[in-house]
Amino acid sequence: MLTEPIITSDPLEQAASLIKHSKYVVVMTGAGMSVESGIPTFRGEGGLWTRYGPPKMDGFKQFRDDPVGWWQKRINQQMDAHIIELRDALVAAEPHTGHHALAGLEKVGAVHHVITQNIDGLDLKAGLKNLTEIHGNRSRLRCIQCGQRMSLGDFVPIEPPEPCASCGGSIKFDTVMFGEPIPADTLAEARRQIDMATCVVAIGTSASVRPASGLLWIAKANGASVIEINPNETKLSPISDVIVRSSAGSALNSLLNLLKICEETPSGAANEPTQDVRSA
Ligand code: NAD
Ligand code: ZN
């Protein structure tokens, strides 16, 4: 009878094994996570900046200098072409099977928290519960003074929003602009999660946008193991313990199948057919 641990050269099996034996697993997702939902990335092949060139990095300064003027431009559709393309893709997007599989991994207890750099809200829509949206969510507004957030609901900007009812501050989209600090409550929660992590899984991120990407290096320095899921090499690759060169959707579905078997199979019942958790 086989009593020794299975040694495998398959990165997906290695990743599943690391996740299974880790006490607290934190996933960090980036724009690559939502490519299969039709939302382009910024960098890399097909990325918005690759096609339109890099944008100006002073978005938050422009908003703070003239909030009403900023909203007027928005209302009159005077945005950069890459913003219009991103907005239209965000409006049309639905979660893909990878988003559902990630929610499934949370449900079976394999993943404890997700920090997403995405603003698309697709993780929530797929049913994920423990989530920090470090760059905000496009379906909310936020006061830049007191930080209060409000659901966008059916709000369509036909005129600039009224100042904050609580403090009189300017209201912007909740999404973090270039040059804008991450709201302190969100950054503190992301850091708290990273400090608890014994394993981090970076999915579809170029690991180049600070301070979010820096959290991955903090986790590594804390002793957490690092798994990268990305079809391409990134800055994170050299410090990753396991690298899965695959799209998010395919890797997450495979991980869910592997880890769901671990979760559900009492020893001795190894080869039962697996069932997609979404239909359970
Ligand atoms: P990035 O654009 O810098 O890099 C995207 C990464 O995704 C690349 O490393 C690429 O190799 C990888 N990738 C491409 N297709 C993939 C797939 N099918 N599966 C897995 N990985 C794939 O993205 P970033 O690191 O998240 O940083 C960019 C910033 O852009 C973030 O702050 C994010 O807020 C913002 N952004 C968000 C969205 C969104 O909400 N969906 C979309 C575009 C940009
Ligand atoms: Zn306020």
Side-chain angles (χ1 to χ4, degrees), residues 143-148 150 164-171:
C143 169
I144 63 168
Q145 204 158 284
C146 72
Q148 194 178 320
M150 40 230 111
C164 174
S166 305
C167 76
S170 298
I171 304 287

XYZ file of all heavy atoms in Angstrom, residues 143-148 150 164-171, ligand 2:
96
model
N -16.973 59.125 -1.068
C -16.581 60.487 -0.698
C -15.083 60.518 -0.444
O -14.574 59.692 0.324
C -17.346 60.911 0.559
S -16.706 62.434 1.276
N -14.373 61.450 -1.065
C -12.906 61.452 -0.902
C -12.491 62.030 0.444
O -11.338 61.921 0.843
C -12.155 62.182 -2.050
C -12.516 63.664 -2.130
C -12.369 61.501 -3.370
C -11.565 64.436 -3.052
N -13.452 62.641 1.162
C -13.081 63.240 2.453
C -13.309 62.268 3.620
O -12.395 61.985 4.374
C -13.908 64.501 2.673
C -13.245 65.490 3.621
C -13.795 66.880 3.391
O -13.439 67.539 2.413
N -14.680 67.321 4.273
N -14.539 61.763 3.751
C -14.828 60.881 4.899
C -14.795 59.407 4.512
O -14.854 58.535 5.371
C -16.163 61.230 5.551
S -17.611 60.767 4.564
N -14.698 59.097 3.220
C -14.554 57.701 2.787
C -15.860 56.939 2.681
O -15.849 55.762 2.318
N -16.983 57.593 3.000
C -18.271 56.893 2.937
C -18.536 56.389 1.513
O -18.312 57.120 0.553
C -19.380 57.852 3.365
C -20.689 57.155 3.661
C -21.741 58.162 4.126
O -21.444 59.085 4.884
N -22.951 57.988 3.669
N -21.227 54.555 -1.283
C -22.643 54.356 -1.580
C -22.780 53.583 -2.884
O -21.955 53.726 -3.795
C -23.401 55.685 -1.653
C -22.641 56.791 -2.344
S -22.597 58.329 -1.424
C -20.870 58.482 -0.925
N -20.987 65.143 -0.533
C -21.330 64.137 0.488
C -22.302 64.726 1.518
O -22.051 65.809 2.063
C -20.052 63.675 1.171
S -20.301 62.584 2.566
N -23.385 63.999 1.791
C -24.391 64.474 2.743
C -23.827 64.527 4.162
O -24.268 65.322 4.991
C -25.604 63.541 2.695
N -22.813 63.711 4.467
C -22.261 63.671 5.827
C -21.225 64.760 6.068
O -21.179 65.354 7.140
C -21.589 62.324 6.110
O -22.477 61.285 5.877
N -20.355 65.024 5.077
C -19.222 65.917 5.367
C -19.012 66.996 4.302
O -18.126 67.841 4.453
C -17.939 65.099 5.528
S -17.260 64.532 3.973
N -19.772 66.966 3.216
C -19.605 67.997 2.182
C -18.463 67.727 1.217
O -18.181 68.540 0.336
N -17.786 66.564 1.363
C -16.662 66.240 0.480
C -17.110 65.905 -0.930
O -18.287 65.648 -1.188
N -16.151 65.901 -1.862
C -16.461 65.572 -3.260
C -16.687 64.067 -3.403
O -16.005 63.256 -2.776
C -15.308 65.978 -4.175
O -15.116 67.365 -4.098
N -17.621 63.727 -4.291
C -17.945 62.319 -4.538
C -17.344 61.889 -5.863
O -17.504 62.561 -6.876
C -19.480 62.124 -4.610
C -20.169 62.629 -3.343
C -19.843 60.675 -4.917
C -19.972 61.777 -2.127
Zn -18.046 62.551 3.208
